[in-house]
Structures are given as structure tokens and as C-alpha cells.
Amino acid sequence: MRWRLLAQAANRQLLWQQQHQQQQQRCCRRLLMTTGAQQQQQQQEQHDEHNDNSNNLKAAKYGMATFGGIAAGVLLFKKLDNQQQQPKIESQLTPSPAGLDDEAAARLWHSTVRQDLPTYSLDEVQKHNAPEQGIWITYGLGVYDVTEFAPNHPGGDKILMAAGSAIDSFWAIYQQHNTLEVLELLEGFRIGNLHKDAVAANVEEELGSPWAQEPKRNALLKPASERPFNAEPPLALLGEHFYTPNELFYVRNHLPVPVMQAEQYELELDVEAGAAAGQPTRTLTLAELKALPKHSVTAAIMCGGNRRSEMTRVKPVKGLSWGPGAVGNAKWSGARLCDVLQAMGVQPNEDLHVLFEGADLDPTSHPYGASIPLSKALDPRGDVVLAYEMNEEPLNRDHGYPIRVIVPGSVGARNVKWLTRIIVADHESDSHWQQNDYKGFSPSTDWDTVDFKKAQAIQAMPVTSAICTPLPNERVKPDSEGFITVRGYAWSGGGRRIERVDLTSDGGKSWHVAQLEQETVPDGRHYGWSLWTARVPLSAEQRKQEGLEIWAKAVDSAYNVQPEAFEHIWNLRGVLANAYHKVPVKLS
Amino acid sequence: MRWRLLAQAANRQLLWQQQHQQQQQRCCRRLLMTTGAQQQQQQQEQHDEHNDNSNNLKAAKYGMATFGGIAAGVLLFKKLDNQQQQPKIESQLTPSPAGLDDEAAARLWHSTVRQDLPTYSLDEVQKHNAPEQGIWITYGLGVYDVTEFAPNHPGGDKILMAAGSAIDSFWAIYQQHNTLEVLELLEGFRIGNLHKDAVAANVEEELGSPWAQEPKRNALLKPASERPFNAEPPLALLGEHFYTPNELFYVRNHLPVPVMQAEQYELELDVEAGAAAGQPTRTLTLAELKALPKHSVTAAIMCGGNRRSEMTRVKPVKGLSWGPGAVGNAKWSGARLCDVLQAMGVQPNEDLHVLFEGADLDPTSHPYGASIPLSKALDPRGDVVLAYEMNEEPLNRDHGYPIRVIVPGSVGARNVKWLTRIIVADHESDSHWQQNDYKGFSPSTDWDTVDFKKAQAIQAMPVTSAICTPLPNERVKPDSEGFITVRGYAWSGGGRRIERVDLTSDGGKSWHVAQLEQETVPDGRHYGWSLWTARVPLSAEQRKQEGLEIWAKAVDSAYNVQPEAFEHIWNLRGVLANAYHKVPVKLS
């Protein structure tokens, strides 16, 4: 039976490969079918043996978790530790529970120790991270050698992103792997078990440190700093999801992540100015917030420093070196801030502001803080929500559990996480992040001359875009009609819809308009981003070149357009880095 | 007495000159004081003679009109014609009416025929339009030779703008000329009277033509087209007034100006879609509109084609060749559209639009039309007004008398003049100007490939700025500290405040932040423009150059910035021409 299934899987894999050919970037054309067949034979033998074993329910419980594979692995090891009180990993293989079909059983394999195979440390796995050294990957407890398979991977060379490390995070997102065929194919490449220390080491914590209770993060996030944790996802993955998967969403923490208990959560509300001033402080529990009318809004959140790493090439700036991945797009759901404020009697007043405080504290116990104009907070088209859900799941700890204020169209810094206090006042937040950060200056303003009082705090963000694929210096091959396909995102603040994205491969001599994927919501409250795809034709002359540079520029509904280059928008904090995205590629 | 007054005037002139030195751009430093003194002697002799005469009340009636001096002159001549039924201009000088003081009397001189002086045709005047040919100007009926005075003009070489023509329009704006001293100084330069045909020719009309009843325009407006009339003011004047004088405000007419009678005016209101649909048509008279709460908003209006003449240099575009003067800033007052719509029961609805029709008809009797989203119309912060006043005066005919809808922050084309009908509908206006004009396209879209359905109608405009002084190729002299002073305007659509204007004289190696003059109204409803002044330092090296180029770029409150150049924002209609304004100047 296994042989038949493997043959089917191989056939389906070829079919899938054909269907997904457009997604392949550097797919090796030398399909090693002979080698593949030999390998399948070996796999079958291994599987015959493996199939004699089956799985216990405890392993199933964790192994079937689709998110956070590494974390699940850790939990599994902890469970084992607790039960057995001994360091040595033992087989948990037990007879297959009645009623577990082939596919359900297959989902347990990577959570299962194979006694027939050796155990590898993470160090050993990490050495096999390139075709020359062999490509090993881990999934749950399994170690797999996919060197021969990699060139045939239907998803192209994305598989190399996981070389020498875990694929769990990828598979959590790419659910097409979650089939019997793929699981069987993978188990065919299994060469061993991952040593539990390799995983357990990741969860060692410095007790007592403010960082002791940081949440577990997805391994795909590339940290710009570890403490506080700031990280962005790989750009190629970011551009593939209209709704950024929560675990891939960039993380921008200014301080340690606070530990929040839903049961004890209270949001404090104070009105210090305006017609409704003077009333006693009110509080809202999480349950009370959830009892208010639920409002959902699709909104991209972007760090003010997104793409700073490009600006800093002109002249160094201070700040985390973000690539173009410090942005994500999600559906946020919660209570509308305007409903909460109106219930408190707050009236429109152009002179007032709404201040937000988070539960994250600096070393002097001051909370993270920011503010927005009351006019934005009260505007029903402003769509400001006290969100408890992100893409229809509860917020995770890194994104503000249990409540984050979402200020659509505004810079990320105003979307205060772990929200604990809202104040209506006649002044902006006096926090560092409102007063002395997240502001733009002239290119000739330096740290000797800067006066932060002279610039306004960034609220709505300017129009921007980025090319997600191809990646810089990637080798691309024009298709049979001489086109290359370019994909990316575009966004503008203030609810301005993206009107157009133009691409050029010849320095602007010719421009090609991208197809947009965007929500059909009205302009002015179009807070989500747009993904785009463009087929850019290359001339015969261009095809003879070794490489070229692709430029993307977006235009928003106010027909604002990105500036051409960073030179004249440079600013000492490296914010607002929205120049054309220019990506050099090599041609095959 | 005259001698004393003239001496006083000369002293005050010097004082004024010192005070206004910053405004001088090419002020000749050779103060010809000797010549000036000689001239004053001559002037005194002339005045002594002149002073024996005085003025009649009829001339006073028109001569004292401060606006539209040329038009006043025409009216005067008509009056004379009617009274005298003969072509020959006769003296209207009569004894000074009792009680008319020196200054009031002086205001009549330029409306008075001087029998002691010859009569000149406009042709003869026009020949004297440069220092080499002598500088003659006219004011009312007077012809003046100001060749010797011009280098000493306190307002700098702006006087040369009127060389060979009338100063009436300038003086209507620059009220500082309206003093006894200045009027006496001017009369001292008088050399003759203007032949009545020179003026009368301007009012000949082709009866029966749709253009027969066009209004009289200020002579300073530079026409981009005569029929329909489209004209912009001189840039240097535009930049001097935070509120653009009504008669200097650019005119953008798509069709002949309709003749409107206030008494018969009716605004028709139809609700064709939404919750309030189906009610009978309502009408509002002008009196009824004026009875509604009066709301004022400062708003710049800008033509979608402003600065097209710069874009067309990259590659020709279709459209009127506007300079940077197709913009003006005014205080508009009238009834709020949201009040009118709410009174009709119109509710917020993201799918609806508000259509406007003007009384101006195309040759097939279709009215000019445009539309805006209902969300903008209903938003109290949108500040849409049915305006009957412009800068606290009734709208003039070119600007939509008696009612123009002002859509602050949106392109001029949506601010429909001679408004006769408002329709709430589930679609945009189907007018040419909404559907097939005033849209932006990629630089590679040409007339063979353009599909107007694929772009959205321009509503909010992008950020822009322009240098008003110095003018292109003007000769500028750095001040004693090595600075040059640059002035201009900046504006962004959608209520976005101008945050900063940066200037550079070295291609962006160094940027200098301008001082802004702007209203203190909240961002998001900051619909007026900002005027700005920057002192730009020149390096020793730059001062050795023959000339240099000054660049201006503005940044709005969403930190959107102008694009650097026209090349990559070029579009076939030449709209949205908001690249850096780059002005070459010569150095003295």
C-alpha cells in the first residue's frame, strides 16, 4: 500500500510542480528522476518499518497543532520530562488508536521519535544548510535530508530558507503541506530524531530579568533587535498573504512584553478636558469591551522606520535597521473607540487629543504612550478600534494581548499595545515616542541642530510600496514571452486607497501598471494595503544584460506619489523611508 | 505748499524704500538723487499749473473706484460720450468741490483730462515698455513717464510689469499707493492723456455670440485661453497675498460665463438614491440659502492642470499651458452643504455621490458637471459650502455668481460655479469633466492606450509648492550676509496642513527650511494654502557663479513630499504636475 501511495504522491507532486511553475524562482531544471525513484525505494523500506509502529494520543495532541511547531515540540518534551523524570528520550510509539485514518496518523509522524534512526543535535542539523553540505531540515522531532528533493520542491527555493533549521513555521502558514501525500513524502526523507536539548535550550529563561517572560516567536521572524524584540518576516513570504498571518506579522516592541491576565484586565478611561471633563475615572473589563458592538476593520500597520535600511545607505541614521517587512495587514476586531467615548459624553472638539498608555513599562516605570487627535478618535470613518482580535484570533502577546488600540492609517507607534489607559486631554501624549521620536525633519537637520518641538508627530503615513519578489540580487528568468513577474505591496496612510502601482525595468523610460489586489472599501477609509503583481516585459537588449534594476512606485487616491530617491527625504531618525523601491536582479 | 509736500513725499519714499528693502529684487542701487531732485523741480512746476485746475464730481465718482481702473476708465468715457455725443475728449476739469481735501482731490487727478498735455494712443504707450525705450505707464486717463523713477521704485522692478500699459490693476491691490504723497509723485510724471479709443476698443462685444456677455477681467490676468476665458495672475503678485484678491484669482472657465440674475436664482435639489430618495425636487432661492447658518472656510482652489507648462517640457501634453498661478486662496462663506443635505434627510451612505451642475452650458446645452462622494459632502470637517461670498464680497461673475460649491481640498474642477442643481445619486457625475478628464495615468499611457475608466477622478490633490519670487531667470543679488530671499506658496489637498517647505540652491546638497505663514486650523481641515519665505545662504563658490537653480519641495501633514521631477509623473493630460519647483536665477 505504501508503495502505491508513494507513487501517487510522486505523480501529484509533478502535477503540482507544473501548476506552480510560475512560483518557482530558481527551480533547478535537472529533474533527477532516476535518483528520485531510487530514493523512493529506500523511503518505502523505511516506511514499511515505520508503519509497524503507531502513535500515542498525547503526541497527537501536540503534533497536530498547526501553529508554532517548535513550541509544540518544546511542550511535548516537557510533557515527556514530567512523565518520565529522566533525560533520555524514549519511544512513545504505541499502537495506532482505533479510528485514526491514514492522514491523521501521518500527522503524528513528525511528533514521534523513530527508534530505528539516530539522534542529532541542532548543531549537526545546522551544518547542513546548503546544497554543498546537504540540506537537512527538522519538523517537530524529525530530522530530514532533503538535499535531493530541494531542486524539485514545488514552492521553489523557499525550501532553502529553512535549510539547517525547522520548517514548522513555514508549514504552519503554507497549509498545502498538510496532506497525506506531502507528509508521506517528507517521512521518506527522515534520517533521524532531533535531540531534545536542541529545542529545550530555546526556552531557557533568565528568571528575574524583565525579559524573562517574553513570548515565544515564530522562527521565521528576522530580529532587528532581540531586547526589546523587534523583527520582520521574510519579504517573499510577506507579499504572499493579503492578510498577514499573525505569527508572521512584524513585531515592534519598545519595552519588555508585559504579562497580562485576561481576568484581571481593566481599561481605565479618564476625561480631563472638554465638555465631558471632570467625571470620575471609569473602567472597562475585557468582558465589558467584548459586550460592546463588535466592529472589524482591515488595516495595515507600518512601523515609522520601515525600509530604514535603505535610507541609511545615503548617510547613517539612528534606529533599528528595518527592511521593507516592518508592515503587516490584518483584520482587526473589537469595540469602536468612538462608541466608548460617546458613551462617556465626549463631544467633538478640535483642540483635544486622546492619549493611550500601554502596560509595557520603561525602567522608570513609565508606560509606553502615544496620542491621536480626538477628531480621528470620534470619526466613525476613522475606524479606530479597541481590538481584541487579529485575523479572527485573540491577539497574541507580542501584538498587545488582550487589547490593542488600532488607529487605521496612522503610523504603528500610535497603535498602542497592552492598552491600559485612555485619557481625553487638551495636549498630546508627553511620552518620548510622541514628543521626541517618530517625527520627520529636513535632510540638513542633524543631531546638533534638531529641535523635536519643531516637527509634528507622525500620524497618517505617506504613500509607499515595496517589491517582495524577486528579492535583491535574485536570479530571475524571463518567461517564454520575455516577461518577468514582480510582486509586492503598496499602502498609503489616512485611509487613502492605492490608485496605481507602476513598475519599470529601464530606469523609468517605460512604466508598466500592476494588477492590484485590494479590498473594495471606500476611499478615505481604505486602511488595508494592496498587494500587486506586474508582468514587466524585457527588451531584447535587456535580455542580453547580466542584470537590471526594477523600480516600483505607488500612487494613492490623492495622487500622491513616492519620491524617487532617499537622498532628498533623508532624515536623522530614518523614518518615512518611502522612496521608490529599487531592486537589482540578475538575469538567467 | 506743493514743494513742501513733494519734499515730504521724497523723504517718505526713501523711508519706505528702506523698510521694504527685502521686497526689492533687482532694485538698482544707483539712487539718482540729483536727477530725482531735478525731476522734483519739474514736477513742482507742472503741479503748480495743474493745481490751478480742479475736478468735477462725475469724474470723482469713477476715478475713486479702487478696483478695475481700466473698466472705470471705460465707464467714464461712456458717460462722456452719452453726455457730449462727440468723439473729441474735452476737459472735465472744474473748480474743486467745496470740502474736498488735498488727498481726496489728488485721487481724482488720474481720472481727469489734462488740457495742457498731449493725447496718446495705446500703441504709442505700449512702445515705451523698457528702460531703453523709456517706461511709460497709464493710470485711469493719465499717461506717465516713469523712466527715471523706475530704479527707485520702493516695490522694486514690479513696476516693469506695467511698463507700456496700465497700473490700475496693480494699485487696486497695492493699496499703499493710495496716499497723497504717492499720487502727487505720480502726477509729477504725467506727460499726457490716454486716447479714449485705446480703452473703448476693449469693450467692443460681438453681440449674439455666446461670448458676448463675458465679464470684464482684470488686466493683470494672463490668459491661457480667451474663449473660454482661462487666466492666471502674475506669480510674483500671487505670492504676496495670503488671501488672493478676488480680481487676481485665477479663472478657469470651461464654457461661456452664464448671465445670472440673483432675483431669479434657484438651486434645485434632488435625492435620487439612498434612504431619503423619492421625495419631490426642492428648490432654494438665494435668499433662502443666505438665511441658513453662514459658514466660512479658508480654502485654496487649484486647477488640476496647474504647472502643466513645466510638465509639457518633458513631452507634450494636451491642455491649457498653465504656469504655477492656476491657484488662489480665499475665504469662502455660505451655507454648509451638510446642513442642506441633512435637512433633506440624507443619511451617511458610502455608496452615494453628490452631483453638481452649473448654469454654464456646452453647445449641446449640457451643463458643466462634477461630483464628490457623499461622505465628503456630509462630513462637518469636510467644510463643503454653497458659497455666495469670496473674501467677504459677493462672488464675481467669473467665480460663479451667485453660488459656487466650494469643495475644500479637492481639485478645482469639483468646485462647480453658477451652481443650479445638486443631485444625490448612486453614481458619479457622467459629465465629460468627471469621466474623461481630470484623471491621472502612468507615464507610459498615451492617447492610443488610455482608458479613462481605469483611473479614478481626481478629488483630493497631492502636495505641491511653487517659488513665486524670484521669477525664472530673474537677476538676484545676495544680501550683505550672502543670503537670497525666496518666497512662494505650498498646499496639499484633503485638508492636509503643510508641515515644511525645504529650499536648496545646490541641487539638494543642503536644504533650508522656510518660515510658514498659515492659518492655525486643525490638520485634516487645513484647506488654505501656506505662504513661505526662506533665506537661502550662498557659498563663496556659488557667489562666483553666473547663476544657479533654486528648488522648492513641500511636505504635508501625512509627510507626503513632492516628487523630484516631472519625468516619472508625466501624464497625457498634464494634470497633477506637482514635482519640485526648480527656478533658475542669475546672480548679480
Side-chain angles (χ1 to χ4, degrees), chain B residues 25-26 157 470-478 483-485 538 542-550 583-588:
Chain B
Q25 276 109 40
R26 287 193 270 166
D157 61 0
L471 293 168
N473 301 311
E474 189 172 325
R475 186 165 292 282
V476 297
K477 187 176 166 64
F483 287 75
I484 56 174
T485 298
L538 303 191
Q542 282 181 310
R543 295 187 63 176
K544 289 179 204 154
Q545 293 169 201
E546 298 233 325
L548 45 77
E549 197 170 66
I550 309 167
V583 171
V585 295
K586 294 170 189 155
L587 291 181
S588 305

CSV table of all heavy atoms in Angstrom, one decimal, chain B residues 25-26 157 470-478 483-485 538 542-550 583-588:
chain,number,residue,atom,x,y,z
B,25,GLN,N,13.9,93.1,-5.5
B,25,GLN,CA,14.6,92.0,-6.1
B,25,GLN,C,15.8,92.5,-7.0
B,25,GLN,O,16.8,92.0,-7.0
B,25,GLN,CB,13.7,91.1,-7.0
B,25,GLN,CG,13.0,90.1,-6.1
B,25,GLN,CD,11.5,90.4,-5.9
B,25,GLN,OE1,10.9,90.8,-6.9
B,25,GLN,NE2,11.0,90.2,-4.8
B,26,ARG,N,15.5,93.5,-7.8
B,26,ARG,CA,16.6,93.9,-8.7
B,26,ARG,C,16.7,95.5,-8.6
B,26,ARG,O,17.0,96.1,-9.5
B,26,ARG,CB,16.3,93.6,-10.2
B,26,ARG,CG,16.4,92.1,-10.5
B,26,ARG,CD,16.4,91.9,-12.0
B,26,ARG,NE,15.1,91.7,-12.5
B,26,ARG,CZ,14.7,91.8,-13.7
B,26,ARG,NH1,15.6,92.1,-14.7
B,26,ARG,NH2,13.5,91.6,-14.1
B,157,ASP,N,11.4,96.1,-9.1
B,157,ASP,CA,11.1,96.1,-10.5
B,157,ASP,C,9.7,95.6,-10.9
B,157,ASP,O,9.4,95.3,-12.0
B,157,ASP,CB,12.2,95.4,-11.3
B,157,ASP,CG,12.3,94.0,-10.9
B,157,ASP,OD1,11.5,93.5,-10.1
B,157,ASP,OD2,13.2,93.3,-11.5
B,470,PRO,N,12.3,84.6,-6.4
B,470,PRO,CA,12.5,85.3,-7.7
B,470,PRO,C,11.8,84.5,-8.9
B,470,PRO,O,11.5,83.3,-8.7
B,470,PRO,CB,14.0,85.3,-7.9
B,470,PRO,CG,14.5,84.2,-7.0
B,470,PRO,CD,13.5,84.1,-5.9
B,471,LEU,N,11.5,85.2,-10.0
B,471,LEU,CA,11.0,84.6,-11.1
B,471,LEU,C,12.1,83.9,-11.9
B,471,LEU,O,13.3,84.2,-11.8
B,471,LEU,CB,10.3,85.6,-12.0
B,471,LEU,CG,9.1,86.3,-11.4
B,471,LEU,CD1,8.6,87.5,-12.1
B,471,LEU,CD2,7.9,85.3,-11.3
B,472,PRO,N,11.7,82.9,-12.8
B,472,PRO,CA,12.7,82.3,-13.6
B,472,PRO,C,13.6,83.3,-14.4
B,472,PRO,O,13.1,84.2,-15.0
B,472,PRO,CB,11.9,81.4,-14.6
B,472,PRO,CG,10.6,81.1,-13.8
B,472,PRO,CD,10.4,82.4,-13.0
B,473,ASN,N,14.9,83.1,-14.3
B,473,ASN,CA,15.9,83.9,-15.0
B,473,ASN,C,16.0,85.3,-14.5
B,473,ASN,O,16.6,86.1,-15.1
B,473,ASN,CB,15.6,83.9,-16.5
B,473,ASN,CG,15.7,82.4,-17.0
B,473,ASN,OD1,16.6,81.7,-16.7
B,473,ASN,ND2,14.7,82.0,-17.8
B,474,GLU,N,15.3,85.6,-13.4
B,474,GLU,CA,15.5,86.9,-12.8
B,474,GLU,C,16.9,87.0,-12.2
B,474,GLU,O,17.5,86.0,-11.8
B,474,GLU,CB,14.4,87.0,-11.6
B,474,GLU,CG,14.4,88.4,-11.1
B,474,GLU,CD,13.2,88.6,-10.1
B,474,GLU,OE1,12.1,88.0,-10.3
B,474,GLU,OE2,13.3,89.3,-9.1
B,475,ARG,N,17.4,88.3,-12.2
B,475,ARG,CA,18.7,88.5,-11.6
B,475,ARG,C,18.5,88.8,-10.1
B,475,ARG,O,17.7,89.7,-9.8
B,475,ARG,CB,19.3,89.7,-12.4
B,475,ARG,CG,20.8,90.0,-12.0
B,475,ARG,CD,21.5,90.9,-13.0
B,475,ARG,NE,21.7,90.3,-14.3
B,475,ARG,CZ,22.6,89.4,-14.6
B,475,ARG,NH1,23.5,89.0,-13.6
B,475,ARG,NH2,22.7,88.9,-15.8
B,476,VAL,N,19.2,88.1,-9.3
B,476,VAL,CA,19.1,88.3,-7.9
B,476,VAL,C,20.5,88.7,-7.3
B,476,VAL,O,21.5,88.2,-7.8
B,476,VAL,CB,18.5,87.1,-7.1
B,476,VAL,CG1,17.1,86.8,-7.6
B,476,VAL,CG2,19.4,85.9,-7.3
B,477,LYS,N,20.4,89.5,-6.2
B,477,LYS,CA,21.6,89.9,-5.6
B,477,LYS,C,21.6,89.4,-4.1
B,477,LYS,O,20.7,89.8,-3.4
B,477,LYS,CB,21.7,91.4,-5.7
B,477,LYS,CG,23.0,92.0,-5.2
B,477,LYS,CD,23.0,93.5,-5.4
B,477,LYS,CE,24.1,94.2,-4.6
B,477,LYS,NZ,25.5,93.8,-5.1
B,478,PRO,N,22.6,88.6,-3.7
B,478,PRO,CA,22.6,88.2,-2.3
B,478,PRO,C,22.7,89.4,-1.4
B,478,PRO,O,23.3,90.4,-1.8
B,478,PRO,CB,23.9,87.3,-2.3
B,478,PRO,CG,24.2,86.9,-3.7
B,478,PRO,CD,23.7,88.1,-4.5
B,483,PHE,N,22.8,85.9,1.7
B,483,PHE,CA,21.6,85.2,1.5
B,483,PHE,C,20.7,85.7,0.4
B,483,PHE,O,20.8,86.9,0.1
B,483,PHE,CB,20.7,85.3,2.8
B,483,PHE,CG,21.3,84.5,4.0
B,483,PHE,CD1,22.4,84.9,4.7
B,483,PHE,CD2,20.7,83.3,4.4
B,483,PHE,CE1,22.9,84.2,5.8
B,483,PHE,CE2,21.2,82.6,5.4
B,483,PHE,CZ,22.3,83.0,6.2
B,484,ILE,N,20.0,84.8,-0.2
B,484,ILE,CA,18.9,85.3,-1.1
B,484,ILE,C,17.6,84.9,-0.5
B,484,ILE,O,17.5,83.9,0.2
B,484,ILE,CB,19.0,84.8,-2.6
B,484,ILE,CG1,19.1,83.3,-2.6
B,484,ILE,CG2,20.3,85.4,-3.3
B,484,ILE,CD1,19.1,82.7,-4.0
B,485,THR,N,16.6,85.8,-0.7
B,485,THR,CA,15.3,85.5,-0.1
B,485,THR,C,14.4,84.9,-1.2
B,485,THR,O,14.3,85.5,-2.3
B,485,THR,CB,14.7,86.8,0.5
B,485,THR,OG1,15.6,87.3,1.5
B,485,THR,CG2,13.3,86.6,1.1
B,538,LEU,N,24.2,81.5,0.2
B,538,LEU,CA,25.0,81.0,-1.0
B,538,LEU,C,26.4,80.9,-0.5
B,538,LEU,O,26.9,81.8,0.3
B,538,LEU,CB,24.9,82.1,-2.1
B,538,LEU,CG,23.5,82.4,-2.6
B,538,LEU,CD1,23.6,83.2,-3.9
B,538,LEU,CD2,22.7,81.1,-2.9
B,542,GLN,N,29.4,79.6,-4.8
B,542,GLN,CA,28.2,79.9,-5.6
B,542,GLN,C,28.1,81.4,-6.0
B,542,GLN,O,27.7,81.7,-7.1
B,542,GLN,CB,27.0,79.6,-4.7
B,542,GLN,CG,26.6,78.1,-4.6
B,542,GLN,CD,25.4,77.9,-3.8
B,542,GLN,OE1,25.3,78.3,-2.7
B,542,GLN,NE2,24.5,77.1,-4.3
B,543,ARG,N,28.7,82.2,-5.1
B,543,ARG,CA,28.6,83.7,-5.5
B,543,ARG,C,29.4,84.0,-6.6
B,543,ARG,O,29.2,85.1,-7.2
B,543,ARG,CB,28.9,84.5,-4.2
B,543,ARG,CG,27.8,84.3,-3.1
B,543,ARG,CD,28.0,85.2,-2.0
B,543,ARG,NE,27.8,86.6,-2.4
B,543,ARG,CZ,27.9,87.6,-1.5
B,543,ARG,NH1,28.0,87.3,-0.2
B,543,ARG,NH2,27.7,88.8,-1.9
B,544,LYS,N,30.4,83.2,-7.0
B,544,LYS,CA,31.2,83.4,-8.2
B,544,LYS,C,30.5,83.0,-9.4
B,544,LYS,O,30.9,83.3,-10.5
B,544,LYS,CB,32.5,82.7,-8.0
B,544,LYS,CG,33.5,83.3,-7.0
B,544,LYS,CD,34.7,82.4,-6.9
B,544,LYS,CE,35.4,82.6,-5.5
B,544,LYS,NZ,36.2,81.4,-5.2
B,545,GLN,N,29.4,82.2,-9.3
B,545,GLN,CA,28.8,81.7,-10.5
B,545,GLN,C,27.9,82.8,-11.1
B,545,GLN,O,27.5,83.7,-10.5
B,545,GLN,CB,27.9,80.5,-10.1
B,545,GLN,CG,28.6,79.3,-9.6
B,545,GLN,CD,27.6,78.3,-8.9
B,545,GLN,OE1,28.1,77.4,-8.2
B,545,GLN,NE2,26.4,78.3,-9.2
B,546,GLU,N,27.6,82.5,-12.4
B,546,GLU,CA,26.7,83.4,-13.1
B,546,GLU,C,25.3,83.3,-12.7
B,546,GLU,O,24.5,84.2,-12.7
B,546,GLU,CB,26.8,83.1,-14.6
B,546,GLU,CG,28.2,83.4,-15.2
B,546,GLU,CD,28.1,84.3,-16.4
B,546,GLU,OE1,27.1,84.2,-17.1
B,546,GLU,OE2,29.0,85.1,-16.6
B,547,GLY,N,24.9,82.0,-12.3
B,547,GLY,CA,23.6,81.8,-11.9
B,547,GLY,C,23.5,80.4,-11.2
B,547,GLY,O,24.5,79.7,-11.0
B,548,LEU,N,22.3,80.1,-10.7
B,548,LEU,CA,22.1,78.8,-10.0
B,548,LEU,C,20.6,78.5,-10.1
B,548,LEU,O,19.8,79.3,-10.6
B,548,LEU,CB,22.6,78.8,-8.6
B,548,LEU,CG,22.3,80.1,-7.7
B,548,LEU,CD1,20.8,80.0,-7.2
B,548,LEU,CD2,23.2,80.1,-6.5
B,549,GLU,N,20.3,77.3,-9.6
B,549,GLU,CA,18.9,76.9,-9.7
B,549,GLU,C,18.4,76.7,-8.3
B,549,GLU,O,19.0,76.0,-7.5
B,549,GLU,CB,18.7,75.6,-10.5
B,549,GLU,CG,17.3,75.3,-10.9
B,549,GLU,CD,17.2,74.2,-11.9
B,549,GLU,OE1,17.5,73.0,-11.6
B,549,GLU,OE2,16.9,74.4,-13.1
B,550,ILE,N,17.2,77.3,-8.0
B,550,ILE,CA,16.6,77.1,-6.6
B,550,ILE,C,15.5,76.0,-6.8
B,550,ILE,O,14.7,76.1,-7.7
B,550,ILE,CB,16.0,78.4,-6.1
B,550,ILE,CG1,17.1,79.5,-6.3
B,550,ILE,CG2,15.5,78.3,-4.7
B,550,ILE,CD1,16.4,80.9,-6.1
B,583,VAL,N,13.7,76.7,-10.2
B,583,VAL,CA,13.8,78.1,-10.8
B,583,VAL,C,15.2,78.5,-11.0
B,583,VAL,O,15.9,78.7,-10.0
B,583,VAL,CB,13.0,79.1,-9.9
B,583,VAL,CG1,13.2,80.5,-10.5
B,583,VAL,CG2,11.5,78.7,-9.9
B,584,PRO,N,15.6,78.7,-12.3
B,584,PRO,CA,17.0,79.2,-12.5
B,584,PRO,C,17.0,80.7,-12.3
B,584,PRO,O,16.1,81.4,-12.7
B,584,PRO,CB,17.2,78.8,-14.0
B,584,PRO,CG,15.9,78.8,-14.6
B,584,PRO,CD,14.9,78.4,-13.5
B,585,VAL,N,18.0,81.2,-11.6
B,585,VAL,CA,18.2,82.7,-11.5
B,585,VAL,C,19.6,83.1,-11.9
B,585,VAL,O,20.5,82.2,-11.8
B,585,VAL,CB,17.9,83.1,-10.0
B,585,VAL,CG1,16.4,82.9,-9.6
B,585,VAL,CG2,18.8,82.4,-9.0
B,586,LYS,N,19.7,84.3,-12.2
B,586,LYS,CA,21.1,84.9,-12.5
B,586,LYS,C,21.5,85.6,-11.3
B,586,LYS,O,20.7,86.2,-10.5
B,586,LYS,CB,21.0,85.8,-13.7
B,586,LYS,CG,20.6,85.1,-15.0
B,586,LYS,CD,20.3,86.1,-16.1
B,586,LYS,CE,19.8,85.4,-17.3
B,586,LYS,NZ,18.9,86.3,-18.1
B,587,LEU,N,22.8,85.6,-11.0
B,587,LEU,CA,23.4,86.3,-9.9
B,587,LEU,C,24.0,87.6,-10.2
B,587,LEU,O,24.7,87.7,-11.2
B,587,LEU,CB,24.4,85.4,-9.2
B,587,LEU,CG,23.9,84.2,-8.5
B,587,LEU,CD1,25.0,83.4,-7.8
B,587,LEU,CD2,22.8,84.5,-7.4
B,588,SER,N,23.7,88.7,-9.4
B,588,SER,CA,24.4,90.0,-9.6
B,588,SER,C,25.6,90.0,-8.7
B,588,SER,O,25.5,89.5,-7.5
B,588,SER,CB,23.5,91.1,-9.2
B,588,SER,OG,22.3,91.1,-9.9
